[in-house]
Structures are given as C-alpha cells and as structure tokens.
Amino acid sequence: MYKSVETILVDIPTIRPHKLSVTTMQTQTLVLIKIITEDGIVGWGEATTIGGLNYGEESPESVKANIDTYFKPLLLSIKAPLNVAQTLKLIRKSINGNRFAKCAIQTALLEIQAKRLNVPVSELLGGRIRDRLPVLWTLASGDTDKDIAEAKKMIELKRHNTFKLKIGSNPLQHDVDHVIAIKKALGPEISVRVDVNRAWSELECVKGIQQLQDGGIDLIEQPCAIENTDALARLTARFDVDIMADEVLTGPDSAYRIAKKSGADVFAVKVEQSGGLIEACEVAKIARLAGISLYGGTMLEGPVGSIASAHAFSTFETLEFGTELFGPLLLTQSILKTPLQYENFELVVPNTPGLGIEVDEDKLEQLRRH
Ligand code: MUC
Ligand code: MG
C-alpha cells in the first residue's frame, strides 16, 4: 500500500521578526510529510507549529520523532487496502494525542485519494462553497509606526485590508495604546483585531477589552488562559465586541464543550489544532449548530498546510471573519514551483487534483535540515 513515509524539517527565515506574547519568531520550521504509495502516488502534509514548544504541545522535532518511530511503521505495515477513514481509525486506535502529526498524515492521505479520484481535496470534504478566501495580515513587528506603514503598504498592494495585532507581551496599557493608535491611523473602514495569545488575567481582560471595544476593535482572540474556559464565557457574555476562542479549541470535543456553555462568539478553526481537515470541518459544524461564527486560523504553516487549510475552509457554510492563511507570505523562501495565488485581498483555492500545488523538491533538498 505505502512505499515510504518521510518527515522533512525545513528552517526558513521570516521576512521580519514576528512578535507574539509567547515568543518572537525569526525563523519558521516547516514540518513536511511526504507519503508515496506503492503505485507511485505522492501525498503531502504539514505539521508546522510556532516557536518550538512555545505555542503548542508538539515541536517540529517531536513530530518528526513520533512520525518516524510510530506512524511510519504503522502505515508501512498496512497490507490490505484500507480507505482513508479506515486508515485514520487504525491510527487513532494505535496512537494517542499528536494532533499536529495526525493532521499532516491525514492531509497526505486525503491528497493521495483526491489525486486517485482526480478531484481537489475540497471535494472529499463535501465540496467547496467558495473558490477564494479573504486573508488578513498580522502586524507583529512590535513597533507602532512600523506596523502602520506595513498595513498601509498591504492595503495599497491589495494584499490585505484586515489586520490582526499580536499583543500581550508588553504591559497592558502600552499594548492597548499601540492598538488604538493603529486603528486611528487606518480609519473606520479597516477592520482591526487583536490576538492576546492567552497573556491576560481575567481582570486584565476586563480592563483591556473595554478600552479596545470603545476604540472600535472588531474581535478579541484568546485573551485569557487555555484552562480558564469559564472566564472566556464570562467575557463573551459581558462584552458586545466579539470574543474568539483559539488555543482553547483542540478539536471537536473541546468545540462541543465550549459551544455548550456559550463560551465564545467566534471559533478560530485550525486544521492542526483540530487534529485534521475532517475534524476541522466537524468543529465548524458544531459552531454552526451553536450559532457561533467562524474564522479560518493558521499555525503559520507554509504553503502545504495553508492550502490544506484552504481546502477545508472552502467547504464551510459560513466564514464570517475570513481567514489568516498568510503563513507562506511571512517566509523569505518559497518551496513551491508556482507560489500560492494571493490577489485582491484573497487566496485562490486551487481546483486541480489533490491539494493543487507542486512542491519544488530541489529547493527542499537545499533548504532541509540534515
Ligand atoms: C495564533 O495564535 O493565532 C496566527 C497568526 C499569527 O500571527 O500567529 C498565529 C497564531
Ligand atoms: Mg491566535
């Protein structure tokens, strides 16, 4: 069935330092999975994370070790033809946790099946509703004037007209003033959101969110600790401005628990955090049933993970807050033969079989970690 399963780590410098509350990134390590079937079909997947273990529970190195040690022998041991669902069930039975690794493997399996059937991956997820996805840009240089200049340049280039600001690493009032100054400079037409990446206590949230709401900010992402789902629900009930769950969403189970207690206005759906494209669609379905709005999130993946996410998000019934699938644009090097198509503030979802991208393997060979 499967001839080879390979995990490739690729370190690529970012176009500028990317400052989050949990780390400042100067480089992104792409974690790519390449699976080849015995009849020669190639499927790609990605399990990239942010800042080693600063953000998530899996690091690039742990994903590689776990895939090489556990996932790979399991996949290579399959002798009878199993479909994707049967293969995923076998993986779930044998391997606990490891959502990012599972997502990468599932993406590659879906790409193989989609290529076999000659359809885009989105078709295997029920079919796309849209061919293009709005993509915002994250301003995270840490400097107010630089961020304003960067935002204005993006609007002029018709690349992005919605911005998310990464805050939480400075004292609260400093961060709030930074955000309000950027919002004022960009004007009422431009949507400005913040991602606190869980840096604030509940009391700080009350103080900070009130000012951000008064200053015209549209969306407050994961302001408090992952464990504190009660605080997130209280903030959701307290404020008019929309509160978005991000890190707290670790797949359909957590989505169900948060939805049940009206714990957020919006879900940031991420394919890796969900444990796969199929599970991301389940998270979206739970949100829809609970009246929660949707946003397509990123783990700052390169083009493989970003386009896999795009296939999943293209199938969502609604996508009220757009997406942040800008990961490849943060990198100084492309690993595709033809880069992803970003135009008119949107990302185009390819319509060709599989993920619809062609990895430049020569480039990968030059860049990969040995
Ligand atoms: C996050 O928490 O949303 C997404 C955009 C970005 O700049 O960082 C990521 C992580
Ligand atoms: Mg976030």
mmCIF file of all heavy atoms in Angstrom, residues 7 19 53 184 192 261:
data_model
loop_
_atom_site.group_PDB
_atom_site.id
_atom_site.type_symbol
_atom_site.label_atom_id
_atom_site.label_comp_id
_atom_site.label_asym_id
_atom_site.label_seq_id
_atom_site.Cartn_x
_atom_site.Cartn_y
_atom_site.Cartn_z
ATOM 1 N N THR A 7 9.519 12.466 6.879
ATOM 2 C CA THR A 7 9.275 13.744 7.572
ATOM 3 C C THR A 7 10.467 14.653 7.315
ATOM 4 O O THR A 7 11.611 14.264 7.568
ATOM 5 C CB THR A 7 9.133 13.524 9.091
ATOM 6 O OG1 THR A 7 8.259 12.436 9.302
ATOM 7 C CG2 THR A 7 8.574 14.754 9.778
ATOM 8 N N LYS A 19 6.441 39.011 16.362
ATOM 9 C CA LYS A 19 6.406 39.062 17.835
ATOM 10 C C LYS A 19 5.032 38.649 18.364
ATOM 11 O O LYS A 19 4.036 39.311 18.088
ATOM 12 C CB LYS A 19 6.735 40.506 18.258
ATOM 13 C CG LYS A 19 7.114 40.677 19.688
ATOM 14 C CD LYS A 19 7.781 42.060 19.871
ATOM 15 C CE LYS A 19 8.399 42.194 21.240
ATOM 16 N NZ LYS A 19 7.553 42.698 22.253
ATOM 17 N N LEU A 53 8.349 24.680 21.277
ATOM 18 C CA LEU A 53 7.265 24.309 22.210
ATOM 19 C C LEU A 53 6.647 25.545 22.867
ATOM 20 O O LEU A 53 5.882 25.416 23.823
ATOM 21 C CB LEU A 53 7.798 23.353 23.285
ATOM 22 C CG LEU A 53 7.953 21.889 22.846
ATOM 23 C CD1 LEU A 53 8.655 21.072 23.925
ATOM 24 C CD2 LEU A 53 6.611 21.239 22.515
ATOM 25 N N LYS A 184 -6.720 54.096 14.761
ATOM 26 C CA LYS A 184 -6.971 55.508 14.389
ATOM 27 C C LYS A 184 -6.300 55.834 13.060
ATOM 28 O O LYS A 184 -6.882 56.472 12.194
ATOM 29 C CB LYS A 184 -6.429 56.439 15.473
ATOM 30 C CG LYS A 184 -7.401 56.621 16.632
ATOM 31 C CD LYS A 184 -7.157 57.960 17.340
ATOM 32 C CE LYS A 184 -8.147 58.123 18.491
ATOM 33 N NZ LYS A 184 -7.483 58.236 19.801
ATOM 34 N N VAL A 192 -9.705 46.045 12.438
ATOM 35 C CA VAL A 192 -8.515 45.752 13.253
ATOM 36 C C VAL A 192 -8.937 44.839 14.396
ATOM 37 O O VAL A 192 -9.932 45.094 15.074
ATOM 38 C CB VAL A 192 -7.870 47.055 13.794
ATOM 39 C CG1 VAL A 192 -6.714 46.739 14.738
ATOM 40 C CG2 VAL A 192 -7.395 47.935 12.642
ATOM 41 N N LYS A 261 -21.451 25.783 26.584
ATOM 42 C CA LYS A 261 -21.613 26.815 27.618
ATOM 43 C C LYS A 261 -21.520 28.229 27.036
ATOM 44 O O LYS A 261 -21.193 29.170 27.754
ATOM 45 C CB LYS A 261 -20.633 26.605 28.769
ATOM 46 C CG LYS A 261 -19.169 26.669 28.473
ATOM 47 C CD LYS A 261 -18.460 26.641 29.843
ATOM 48 C CE LYS A 261 -17.013 26.322 29.732
ATOM 49 N NZ LYS A 261 -16.370 26.092 30.990
#
